[in-house]
Amino acid sequence: MTTIAELPPGFADKVLSAQSTFRSVMDAMARPGSVQRIVPMAGTPGPMMRGTAAIALTLFDHDTPLWLDARMAESSDVTKWLKFHTGAPVVQDSSVASFALIGDGGTLPSLERFALGTAEYPDRSTTVIVQVDSLASGRSFELRGPGIDGVATLQASVKPFDLFERLHMNEALFPRGIDVVLVADDAVVAIPRTTRIVSKGS
Amino acid sequence: MNAPAYNFAYLDEQTKRMIRRAILKAIAIPGYQVPFASREMPMPYGWGTGGVQVTAAILGPQDVLKVIDQGSDDTTNAISIRKFFAKTAGVATTTATDEATVIQTRHRIPETALNANQVLVYQVPIPEPLRFLEPRETETRRMHALAEYGLMHVKLYEDIARFGHIATAYAYPVKVNARYVMDPSPTPKFDNPKMDNCPALQLFGAGREKRIYAIPPYTQVVSLDFEDHPFEPYRFNAPCALCAAENSYLDEIVTDDKGGRMFVCSDTDYCESRQAAGHHGSLSAAPYKDKAQEAANG
Amino acid sequence: MYVAVKGGERAIENAHRLLAHKRRGDQDVAEISLDQITEQLGLAVDRVMSEGSLYDRELAALAIKQARGDLIEAIFLVRAFRATLPRFGASEPVDTGAMRVQRRVSATFKDIPGGQILGPTFDYTHRLLDPSLAEGFVPEAPAMAEASTAPTPRVTDILGRDGLIESSPEAEDGASVGDLTREPLNFPADRDLRLQNLARGDEGFLLAMGYSTQRGYGRNHPFVGEIRFGEVEVEFVAEDVGFAVPLGAIALTECQMVNQFKGSATEAPCFTRGYGLAFGQSERKTMSMALVDRALRARELGEEALAPAQDEEFVMSHSDNVQATGFVEHLKLPHYVDFQSELGLLRKLRQEFADANAPDAMKEAAE
């Protein structure tokens, strides 16, 4: 059993760390495929990477229902830490979640099970945060769309292996859709619903 | 008494989180107006509260902030907002477009091309481009959902029938990423082409109407028009009387009551930089320098 | 030669200094104290608390003083301060049936359990300017009596026991309370959000809207079931403590209107309700609010919604005086960039008009 006193800490400076983390995530979302660094440090409970922890402290609160995959949910450190530092309610129904935390991409459920937004309110959709092995090496992908000057390339090692193929559904759904944030340690890459991805092999 | 104590950049952290989440969704859905729970700010609604909330949510100590109103750094509302952030966030401020990392603007886009390290934050009074054609939010929301923009085209075409031109000179509607029709805020249509494929991130905040929207960098922004009546940016007949610029937006200044007029750049930083670089117009004095103010701005 | 106007920063500073000077007025005249405002301009304080959405008499008085008596400006000051306050949660619903009433009148029954209590009111005063109030007036001591312990049940509850009025919606346990200052408003809005909007809404706007329903723009046959003013206890359930903690008492005015009845083949006819609630003593506000609340229920009650007061988007989008004054007053900010755009376009259109309408002879000569 972990007591609250033994939980990994949050940000040392809440205000400035949240601002810095947000700017990294905002830049990632505005420039899909670009690798942004998360600088501020916080404690990392259980399987949570430091980038993921910083994003959670920056964006989650009482108003953001949260869905955890089995890898995250089975760690009582993760659930206690999230409750103590963010207050975000953990929900079982992924279709009402503002955010989803995926610790093991191999078991990622079908993306249709998350909130996709409505035609009137496409913003009411789940932002899926997936921890991946690497955002520096692995297969090569070509990305196009808003935020990208022509073509961007990304080298990444992600699970599930077909994640980007699955995200093709965003094309038909738009303006509804799923926005994905990939985290590898302190590196962050965002794939908003407007980004079109083609695999270039390894 | 419950004496007030204020946070960095004024807004409390819960409010910033809410605005930050809205900004991320706005970037992910270019041109779509994300509803947000706009707060009462210590300046009146209609005076830039939306832009101020967006700026407060993104601003950090490493930023350099520029604030313009009508293109000028020295209009009273621009000064007031710049001082607000200098006081509540302690950020460095500048009037030089190329030194700024965050530029908050009302009614203009700077003449100097923006770069990829910059964020342009627009103050927006009425974010809904369809509002003057259909006052009901429930209706306009449905039109956006269905991408049903016929009403807007009818309005523009009626202009052509009556005046021979599209009679919209500012807040000229655009289509973003070939999907959402968007209000660019009351910028002159002269500025519309600058929004297209811009390297900087463009964020729009409407405080009273409680909406945030965005144009990501390098995104297609097309001014609405017709094949036989293509969009024409506004052109001036004469260069700036101070810096001789031929492709900047000009303010008309009434110089006497006998019909005297002169035209000068509305972007004061652009105009002063050009004068400092030796460009002189027909009526230019020596480049204006307010030493006391420069010292005060540090 | 031309030099652009500069020095805006100094102009602003000087303007603020002048404002502070004007606010103080003639310094040979004693400065007004916050106590004087809370004690002697109490209804102004009540209005600022209500529309400012913050129950704090002292801050409201400070805002009134700072705003030089401009109540909308004072409301704005209070709202801007309120927006920065941390939020711990929502109080338990207050029980206005248990109010310690100072004033209570019903227009629907001659006598009611607990009695009609006229209390401090302008009603039945003759509106004659009173020179004796100008200075040194010492009022007579008010008539005093032992506070009655008789319960004062709400008139609508009395009607409700016989099923003559629609039942008041029951609070749902655990259901969250809507808050339009925390979540963006969407239409159609539920009644909790509508009432919140009206409670914060401008008294003058609501008065005009309520009045319009009486003149036939969405008529709803109102009777004042009851207006009561007095103090109620406020309680808050703190999660860590696990029970309701009393926070203190606040003064409230409540107005329950009894309106036009409804009924159908499947439902016995009964009166309907309109509701108004405000901080302090604010009768005009709560009565207007109740009229507009009832008007906004048109669709829910199967009535045709044709009048402005029945139009939810219209009422809710324009009731807030802080929003309204900001946008109206922003017209005095510089608009010369967009005006220039219009000017250029207008000149071009006029030139084209002149060319097209020039006499043929001149056209030919020109060609």
Side-chain angles (χ1 to χ4, degrees), chain B residues 26-49:
Chain B
I27 295 169
I29 316 167
Y32 165 74
Q33 303 162 51
V34 181
F36 82 112
S38 174
R39 299 288 192 256
E40 259 104 4
M41 297 299 286
M43 56 205 55
Y45 282 120
W47 298 51
T49 57

Side-chain angles (χ1 to χ4, degrees), chain B residues 2 40 45 136-138 165, chain C residues 56 79 311 313 326 337 352:
Chain B
N2 302 306
E40 259 104 4
Y45 282 120
R136 277 174 204 286
E137 166 69 13
T138 36
H165 301 277
Chain C
D56 188 320
R79 290 262 195 100
D311 185 327
E313 278 200 40
V337 161
E352 285 171 5

Side-chain angles (χ1 to χ4, degrees), chain B residues 2 10 37 39-40 45 47 70 74 83 106-107 136-138 165 169 210 234 249 252-253 272 288, chain C residues 2-3 6 13 56 79-80 181-182 311 313 323 326 330 334-338 340-341 344 347 352:
Chain B
N2 302 306
Y10 182 77
R39 299 288 192 256
E40 259 104 4
Y45 282 120
W47 298 51
Q70 315 293 301
D74 201 41
K83 282 183 74 169
R106 176 169 172 263
H107 295 192
R136 277 174 204 286
E137 166 69 13
T138 36
H165 301 277
K210 303 176 169 49
Y234 187 81
Y249 190 83
E252 177 172 343
I253 293 169
E272 284 164 19
Y288 185 92
Chain C
Y2 175 80
V3 177
K6 288 237 177 188
E13 274 162 24
D56 188 320
R79 290 262 195 100
T181 70
R182 292 280 145 180
D311 185 327
E313 278 200 40
Q323 290 175 13
H330 109 286
H335 282 80
Y336 47 78
V337 161
D338 23 338
Q340 186 63 45
S341 246
R347 283 182 180 138
E352 285 171 5

Side-chain angles (χ1 to χ4, degrees), chain C residues 105-128:
Chain C
V105 291
S106 170
T108 50
F109 295 104
K110 186 172 181 187
D111 204 1
I112 43 178
Q116 305 242 20
I117 302 166
L118 211 44
T121 176
F122 291 122
D123 297 351
Y124 318 113
T125 60
H126 295 141
R127 269 60 168 207
L128 306 169

Side-chain angles (χ1 to χ4, degrees), chain A:
Chain A
M1 281 296 282
T2 319
T3 65
I4 283 174
E6 292 161 355
L7 279 177
F11 286 136
D13 181 337
K14 284 183 184 173
V15 174
L16 299 182
S17 296
Q19 188 275 337
S20 162
T21 304
F22 170 69
R23 280 292 277 274
S24 299
V25 177
M26 182 179 88
D27 286 342
M29 196 62 85
R31 297 167 199 284
S34 71
V35 181
Q36 306 290 333
R37 298 276 157 198
I38 304 256
V39 180
M41 286 300 130
T44 51
M48 204 181 277
M49 294 174 176
R50 36 186 194 160
T52 313
I55 293 171
L57 293 171
T58 300
L59 294 175
F60 299 179
D61 61 25
H62 293 95
D63 296 330
T64 56
L66 186 61
W67 187 86
L68 303 177
D69 76 349
R71 173 69 58 84
M72 289 285 180
E74 71 197 9
S75 160
S76 71
D77 277 7
V78 166
T79 52
K80 277 187 203 154
W81 185 88
L82 283 168
K83 183 173 167 52
F84 180 73
H85 287 294
T86 75
V90 173
V91 293
Q92 300 306 314
D93 178 0
S94 55
S95 75
V96 298
S98 297
F99 292 94
L101 281 186
I102 311 299
D104 174 12
T107 63
L108 180 73
S110 162
L111 291 173
E112 269 112 9
R113 290 174 57 183
F114 296 108
L116 303 171
T118 64
E120 276 81 15
Y121 294 96
D123 54 306
R124 295 179 182 174
S125 60
T126 309
T127 301
V128 181
I129 300 167
V130 187
Q131 296 192 157
V132 302
D133 293 339
S134 173
L135 292 168
S137 62
R139 282 164 71 201
S140 269
F141 301 92
E142 274 189 7
L143 294 76
R144 288 168 212 273
I148 300 166
D149 186 10
V151 183
T153 48
L154 171 68
Q155 277 204 300
S157 173
V158 302
K159 274 185 221 146
F161 294 112
D162 63 347
L163 176 64
F164 296 144
E165 282 79 23
R166 292 203 211 174
L167 284 173
H168 286 169
M169 75 172 193
N170 275 333
E171 195 163 354
L173 278 173
F174 194 82
R176 300 166 68 217
I178 291 284
D179 308 312
V180 174
V181 176
L182 307 174
V183 181
D185 192 20
D186 67 339
V188 177
V189 167
I191 313 290
R193 66 193 73 183
T194 49
T195 303
R196 306 290 162 253
I197 306 180
V198 181
S199 171
K200 286 284 145 197
S202 45

Side-chain angles (χ1 to χ4, degrees), chain B residues 267-291:
Chain B
D267 184 335
T268 48
D269 169 62
Y270 181 74
C271 195
E272 284 164 19
S273 308
R274 280 179 53 85
Q275 290 177 68
H279 297 280
H280 294 295
S282 56
L283 293 167
S284 62
Y288 185 92
K289 285 261 184 260
D290 187 333
K291 298 279 187 226

